[in-house]
Structures are given as structure tokens and as C-alpha cells.
């Protein structure tokens, strides 16, 4: 871990699993019998908006029942103490990284606590429920949807992420299956640009072969150990 100054960290659902939030592709990954691929699409929202609003209302409500775990806290410590460049890119729409104190954070798939008005295109803090289509605080129209990146939509912050990957000396992927692009391709971009690549996951991800090193185990153990190692060098 010597000679490292620019770090990019990608996190996925696995980092929040030990806080009590279900992963997408694990055994409890179904919601009322629906796969995320069937609910998290613009087409699903058009076909059955109430089903999709209920899915996100339930997950937003669940946030109040969970807390950041040792992995979120370790990354917040790295953020506070690391003098070099750092970008934590999370695919997660929960708020556990920021509740742990992380600041250099980018939510590439949106946030449960944000709502997006399809009428005036503004983002605002989401009410607890969007089920009955409450009015937008900006324009008053009733076209609020969850501010979530669905399949077929462009993830947030891609320019900033690409720039950070270009300069990265170390790319670390934590708790993600590598099933969803473009995030699943970040390891190849970073590696092509000469970064060292490290995976911390419970099971090997789909892109495991692209990593220089894979450490398997729970994030609450692997991430604090990694942060200790990197801050100690
Ligand atoms: C633990 C653990 C513990 C458990 N400790 N680990 C090729 C190139 C580009 C795009 C595509 C492509 N092929 C197809 C596409 C399109 C599509 C896509 O990827 N489809 C796939 C199904 C193939 N992608 C898109 O449509 C994206 N947009 C896009 O591509 O725009 C065009 C574009 C092109 C090129 C460049 C830029 C843009 C949008 C994707 C939106 C994803 N949205 C979702 C749902 C919304 C959010 C929400 O509702 O929460 O985001 S899908 C869902 O999957 C969610 C997650 O963020 C995402 C990733 O899941 P994640 O985090 O990896 O979770 P799991 O459950 O899969 O894995 C958990 C892992 O944790 C496992 O490995 C466990 O082992 C581990 N784990 N417990 C450590 N305790």
C-alpha cells in the first residue's frame, strides 16, 4: 500500500447488509415477489406507479430502523484522516455513509431521501411517502418520483467518477456483486490506468478476475482492517 495518494472506493449493498438492509441479489433480495430489475425501471413506474412508490416508501421507512456499521465508520475515518485524494462512490441509495460522517461521497444511483419532480426537474428532500403523489415544493405539480437511477437511466456523477478513476493509484470495491454497469466496469478502467485494484466482499464478485487482490469476508471486519492498514503506511 506504499506510494498511494489517490484512492477511489466503490461500495454496494453488501456494505449495508450488516446494518440490516437486504442486498439485491441475495436470498432475501425479492420484494413482494418482485426482482429489483422488474421494479427499478422507468417502464415499471409507468405501468404501475403505486407499486414502485410503495417499494421505495417501504425502503425509505426502513432507513429509520438501521444504523451505520463498522465498515461505514471505518470509511468515514479514512475520509477524515486521508491527506490524499479520495472519492467514495456508492451505488447505495441509503444514507449510512453520510450518517457515519463520510464527506467525499457520491451517490451514483441516487438517494432514497431525495425526490425528483418530473414537471420542473428539481430535486428536493423526499416526504416520507410519495404514494399519493404529493405536490412538488417548487412548482406545486404532483409528479414527484423517487430520485433513484433506474435501469436504462444515466447514473449520477459519471464525469467526476471517470476523472477520479483516471488518477487513481488504488481502486477498492466493497460489497458489490459486479452485476450492474457502469459500476461493474470501474475496476477495468482503474486497472487500465495503472491503479492497484482490491476487492473486499463476502463472495467473489462477477468481475473478481480483474482485481489484483480479493479478500473475502464480512465488510464489518475487512473494511476496518483495510483502513487501519492504509492509514498506517
Ligand atoms: C457482503 C456482505 C457483507 C453481502 N460484507 N459483502 C454494459 C455496459 C453499460 C451498461 C449496461 C451493460 N449491460 C447492461 C447495461 C445496462 C444496465 C445493467 O447493468 N444491467 C445489468 C442487469 C446487466 N445498467 C444501467 O441501466 C445503468 N445505466 C446505464 O448503463 O446508463 C447508460 C450508461 C452507459 C455507459 C456509461 C454510463 C451510462 C443504470 C443502473 C441502475 C441500477 N439501479 C439499481 C436499483 C436502483 C437503486 C435502488 O433501488 O436501490 O441499483 S439496480 C441495483 O443493483 C441497485 C444497486 O445499486 C445495483 C448493484 O447492486 P449491488 O450493490 O452490487 O448489490 P448485490 O445484491 O448485487 O450484491 C451484493 C454483494 O455484497 C454480493 O456480492 C454479496 O456477496 C456481498 N455481500 N453481504 C461484504 N456482510
Amino acid at each position: 500500500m506504499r506510494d498511494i495518494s489517490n484512492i477511489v472506493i466503490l461500495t454496494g449493498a453488501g456494505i449495508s447488509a450488516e446494518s440490516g438492509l437486504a442486498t439485491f441479489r441475495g436470498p432475501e433480495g425479492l420484494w413482494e415477489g418482485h426482482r429489483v430489475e422488474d421494479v427499478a425501471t422507468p417502464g415499471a413506474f409507468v405501468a404501475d406507479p403505486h407499486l414502485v412508490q410503495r417499494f421505495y416508501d417501504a425502503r425509505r421507512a426502513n432507513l429509520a430502523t438501521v444504523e451505520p456499521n463498522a465498515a461505514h465508520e471505518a470509511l468515514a475515518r479514512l475520509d477524515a484522516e486521508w491527506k490524499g485524494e479520495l472519492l467514495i462512490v456508492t451505488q447505495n441509495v441509503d444514507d449510512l455513509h453520510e450518517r457515519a460522517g463520510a464527506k467525499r461521497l457520491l451517490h451514483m444511483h441516487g438517494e432514497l431521501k431525495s425526490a425528483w419532480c418530473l414537471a420542473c426537474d428539481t430535486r428536493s428532500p423526499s416526504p416520507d411517502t410519495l404514494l399519493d403523489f404529493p405536490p412538488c415544493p417548487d412548482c406545486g405539480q404532483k409528479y414527484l418520483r423517487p430520485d433513484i437511477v433506474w435501469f436504462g437511466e444515466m447514473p449520477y456523477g459519471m464525469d467526476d467518477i471517470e476523472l477520479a478513476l483516471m488518477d487513481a493509484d488504488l481502486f477498492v470495491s466493497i460489497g458489490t456483486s459486479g452485476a450492474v454497469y457502469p459500476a461493474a466496469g470501474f475496476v477495468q478502467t482503474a486497472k487500465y490506468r495503472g491503479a492497484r485494484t482490491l476487492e473486499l466482499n463476502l463472495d467473489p464478485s462477477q468481475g473478481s478476475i480483474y482485481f489484483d487482490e480479493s479478500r473475502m469476508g464480512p465488510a464489518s471486519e475487512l473494511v476496518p482492517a483495510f483502513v487501519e492498514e492504509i492509514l498506517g503506511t
Side-chain angles (χ1 to χ4, degrees):
M1 294 292 174
R2 288 177 200 284
D3 301 327
I4 284 168
S5 58
N6 298 345
I7 306 176
V8 176
I9 295 179
L10 173 70
T11 69
I15 198 168
S16 297
E18 290 164 86
S19 292
L21 296 178
T23 61
F24 293 98
R25 293 167 187 87
E28 292 171 20
L30 292 180
W31 175 78
E32 294 186 5
H34 302 279
R35 297 179 317 140
V36 67
E37 285 81 358
D38 299 332
V39 187
T41 72
F45 188 58
V46 171
D48 193 345
H50 289 100
L51 174 87
V52 176
Q53 296 285 32
R54 277 194 296 117
F55 174 66
Y56 286 100
D57 277 4
R59 290 180 51 205
R60 201 178 298 109
N62 202 25
L63 281 187
T65 70
V66 299
E67 296 290 335
N69 64 51
H72 300 102
E73 281 158 10
L75 291 186
R77 178 184 164 217
L78 181 67
D79 188 357
E81 297 182 19
W82 183 251
K83 301 285 182 260
E85 295 292 323
L86 171 73
L87 182 63
I88 302 170
V89 180
T90 187
Q91 298 171 86
N92 299 342
V93 297
D94 66 54
D95 60 351
L96 295 180
H97 280 301
E98 47 269 57
R99 277 162 58 189
K103 302 271 188 281
R104 292 182 270 182
L105 175 69
L106 194 160
H107 277 276
M108 68 175 290
H109 288 165
E111 296 173 63
L112 280 170
K113 289 197 164 170
S114 175
W116 175 22
C117 177
L118 294 175
C120 70
D121 197 30
T122 53
R123 269 82 178 170
S124 53
S126 178
D128 290 343
T129 174
L130 293 175
L131 188 57
D132 295 327
F133 289 89
C136 166
D138 243 59
C139 72
Q141 300 260 36
K142 296 188 167 187
Y143 291 110
L144 290 180
R145 62 162 263 190
D147 187 9
I148 302 287
V149 178
W150 289 329
F151 286 107
E153 297 182 327
M154 183 62 84
Y156 289 121
M158 285 307 298
D159 289 348
D160 290 340
I161 296 169
E162 290 288 338
L163 284 174
L165 289 171
M166 295 289 177
D167 284 343
D169 308 308
L170 175 65
F171 172 77
V172 188
S173 171
I174 303 171
T176 175
S177 61
V180 175
Y181 285 84
F186 292 170
V187 58
Q188 291 172 75
T189 307
K191 203 173 171 61
Y192 178 72
R193 297 290 299 189
R196 182 165 175 207
T197 54
L198 170 66
E199 168 178 50
L200 308 177
N201 212 33
L202 204 54
D203 313 295
S205 68
Q206 291 186 17
S208 206
I209 54 161
Y210 297 113
F211 289 89
D212 297 318
E213 186 184 349
S214 296
R215 300 178 189 171
M216 298 296 116
S220 65
E221 292 175 15
L222 294 182
V223 181
F226 157 73
V227 169
E228 195 63 47
E229 181 183 344
I230 194 112
L231 289 177
T233 53

